[in-house]
Amino acid sequence: MADIKYDIVKEFGVLSENAKGWRKEVNLISWNGGAPKYDIRDWAPDHEKMGKGTTLSEEEMKNLKEILGEVL
């Protein structure tokens, strides 16, 4: 399996943190040198490990914002 390279371009905030210190974060990340995408996933302290998450384009993020505005 190839190594996944990532660069956290901007950290927006933490949604939650568990007892072991893992945090669900919203970040802007460049994966394998690609264009940065919005990303929501769990991270170990110091970002040395990550859990499964989801990435969103700018358009998808705008749609999510609109949907959340209607729900909340």
Side-chain angles (χ1 to χ4, degrees):
M1 186 167 114
D3 287 336
I4 297 173
K5 296 180 182 174
Y6 62 92
D7 177 35
I8 299 175
V9 177
K10 182 170 182 154
E11 297 180 29
F12 292 106
V14 176
L15 299 175
S16 63
E17 184 171 340
N18 70 19
K20 294 183 179 181
W22 281 64
R23 303 183 315 175
K24 187 175 308 269
E25 300 181 9
V26 180
N27 298 310
L28 188 63
I29 300 180
S30 171
W31 296 99
N32 296 317
K37 291 193 174 189
Y38 295 93
D39 185 84
I40 302 171
R41 77 180 58 246
D42 291 326
W43 289 92
D46 299 325
H47 297 122
E48 73 268 9
K49 292 182 182 178
M50 69 183 92
K52 290 183 179 179
T54 188
T55 59
L56 302 166
S57 67
E58 187 170 346
E59 185 66 27
E60 290 169 327
M61 193 66 144
K62 288 177 184 177
N63 291 340
L64 177 60
K65 179 183 176 186
E66 185 177 321
I67 291 167
L68 290 176
E70 293 173 7
V71 171
L72 303 174

